[in-house]
Amino acid sequence: MADIDSLIQQLDQSGKDVFWQGKASQESIEKLESLLGSRLPVSFKTFLAEYGGGGVVEEEVSGIEDDDPTLEHRGTVYGDTLLCREDYSLPENLVVIYLGADDVVWCLDVSQFDGDECPVVAFDVFSKSTKPLAPTFNDFLAEYLTLRISA
């Protein structure tokens, strides 16, 4: 997480409008897993515990806001996943970690765990297909942060 922490610090100092949802407790993370009916990768749980979710405003990584995993609005993992399951027939094995305003949906594919990690995929809302984005959440997050720091 050290590299991620450094990238987050760089993003915070970049002058961009940045928002973090606040640390999530272990209990909240476990409750989120229960609500979703699946375990989450260790790297994502570490991110939730440290930052809760967030990033550049209007491009935030979904998370647990105010340490409440039951919130169902946009920007929360639970809310974004429920919305996509209802509106786009998102499969049960996908957990939304990013829902862009232009129907961009990036997810954890919790059916493909390799040890404690699973890949991040893009879900196409029209074809209902997925495309690999990153082998782990940490790889995804490092790229997300790097692109926004340099933009």
Side-chain angles (χ1 to χ4, degrees):
M1 191 75 179
D3 291 337
I4 297 297
D5 291 336
S6 173
L7 289 170
I8 286 174
Q9 187 175 39
Q10 289 176 50
L11 181 62
D12 286 344
Q13 296 170 355
S14 70
K16 293 179 174 56
D17 195 7
V18 177
F19 169 77
W20 301 107
Q21 294 179 347
K23 294 181 181 226
S25 66
Q26 182 64 34
E27 294 79 20
S28 289
I29 295 168
E30 290 172 4
K31 175 72 173 179
L32 178 62
E33 288 178 310
S34 176
L35 290 166
L36 295 169
S38 68
R39 69 182 177 128
L40 298 171
V42 169
S43 59
F44 186 58
K45 292 192 285 189
T46 301
F47 173 72
L48 293 175
E50 290 297 316
Y51 300 98
V56 174
V57 173
E58 301 295 324
E59 298 178 359
E60 299 99 343
V61 174
S62 305
I64 297 175
E65 188 173 331
D66 296 328
D67 201 28
D68 184 352
T70 65
L71 295 176
E72 295 184 15
H73 56 76
R74 282 186 73 124
T76 66
V77 174
Y78 189 55
D80 289 346
T81 300
L82 289 180
L83 176 75
C84 289
R85 285 180 180 168
E86 182 176 315
D87 289 356
Y88 305 127
S89 301
L90 183 78
E92 294 289 319
N93 64 299
L94 299 179
V95 172
V96 177
I97 58 167
Y98 179 88
L99 176 57
D102 51 356
D103 295 327
V104 172
V105 182
W106 297 336
C107 307
L108 300 167
D109 186 344
V110 297
S111 70
Q112 294 190 43
F113 267 92
D114 181 11
D116 290 330
E117 296 297 329
C118 66
V120 176
V121 299
F123 176 73
D124 185 307
V125 299
F126 303 106
S127 70
K128 311 297 186 220
S129 62
T130 60
K131 178 178 86 171
L133 289 179
T136 69
F137 177 76
N138 262 1
D139 293 323
F140 161 81
L141 186 58
E143 183 174 349
Y144 166 91
L145 293 166
T146 300
L147 288 172
R148 278 142 188 90
I149 290 165
S150 63

